[in-house]
Amino acid sequence: MKPQGVRGAVKTESLIYEKLQNSRKRDYIMAKLDEIDMKILSALNRDASISIPKLSNDLGINLSVAYSRIKRLIRRGIIEHYTITVNEDKLGMTASAIAGINLDPKNREQILDEIMKMESVRLLREVTGRFDLIVNLRGASLDELHKAVYDIIGKIPGVQHAEVFMEVARRTPVVNYRLQD
């Protein structure tokens, strides 16, 4: 094994220090959260439109406590934003698919840019494993999504392989946040 040298050792030390600092920040944030915070996060995750009075009543906490806890969660960046869920089936987009993509790393940015421009793309994840990218798509028909993957994504320069997985059923679990042990 080749010796690192001074620069390599300093770089390694700074990476270790950065990881330690990030770990301390995470531990600090978690230390300041309690069961009430977790119940608030779980309830808002289920329905972000719930009124604060109803939320405080449902959780059995004082209204002012609910308001201040939510403000604190926002200020600390734990709650980043509120959003809606659109029922795309009612908009005529009844088909869903996931595509696994392998790409040439030299063309990565151009490929990502092209895929992100597509109307049918809902989410793009860069991953490890069998594929480089996992892309969630939504459209009017399975045929439309099949064409989007093979005729559009598959023909982007640098895309080496594309494979589509058509969704046949979907289940969304209820998320209940809890403190880490």
Side-chain angles (χ1 to χ4, degrees):
M1 192 165 137
K2 191 175 176 181
Q4 285 182 289
V6 175
R7 283 193 180 151
V10 170
K11 187 175 182 179
T12 302
E13 269 184 40
S14 96
L15 287 173
I16 291 169
Y17 177 77
E18 186 179 327
K19 285 181 182 181
L20 180 61
Q21 290 299 100
N22 289 339
S23 172
R24 285 181 181 156
K25 286 178 192 173
R26 182 180 47 80
D27 290 346
Y28 173 76
I29 289 171
M30 290 306 295
K32 295 292 185 178
L33 297 177
D34 63 14
E35 284 301 321
I36 293 171
D37 294 318
M38 296 301 161
K39 287 178 181 179
I40 289 171
L41 291 171
S42 298
L44 290 175
N45 189 56
R46 282 189 293 282
D47 182 6
S49 71
I50 189 171
S51 70
I52 305 301
K54 176 153 177 35
L55 175 70
S56 67
N57 187 49
D58 290 354
L59 299 180
I61 58 175
N62 186 293
L63 183 62
S64 63
V65 170
Y67 274 114
S68 65
R69 293 291 186 108
I70 291 170
K71 282 183 181 180
R72 190 182 79 203
L73 291 167
I74 292 169
R75 192 172 52 251
R76 293 173 69 195
I78 295 167
I79 295 175
E80 293 183 335
H81 67 275
Y82 296 89
T83 188
I84 63 167
T85 302
V86 175
N87 185 335
E88 291 186 310
D89 288 339
K90 292 187 178 187
L91 296 176
M93 292 178 273
T94 57
S96 225
I98 298 169
I101 313 290
N102 293 109
L103 53 88
D104 180 343
K106 290 179 255 165
N107 299 74
R108 180 181 161 276
E109 285 304 319
Q110 296 85 351
I111 294 167
L112 295 174
D113 289 345
E114 288 301 311
I115 293 173
M116 291 296 288
K117 290 178 192 173
M118 296 175 61
E119 282 186 31
S120 58
V121 172
R122 295 296 177 267
L123 180 65
L124 189 149
R125 294 182 185 98
E126 292 185 68
V127 297
T128 61
R130 180 174 164 193
F131 298 106
D132 300 313
L133 306 173
I134 300 293
V135 182
N136 291 43
L137 302 113
R138 193 73 186 209
S141 69
L142 294 177
D143 189 51
E144 176 187 317
L145 297 179
H146 189 270
K147 287 178 182 175
V149 173
Y150 293 114
D151 295 345
I152 299 172
I153 294 175
K155 293 185 178 169
I156 297 172
V159 170
Q160 298 169 335
H161 176 76
E163 189 172 341
V164 67
F165 304 90
M166 298 301 178
E167 181 180 291
V168 294
R170 175 185 299 220
R171 295 181 186 168
T172 306
V174 172
V175 176
N176 289 307
Y177 295 101
R178 64 180 182 81
L179 295 172
Q180 299 298 316
D181 298 327

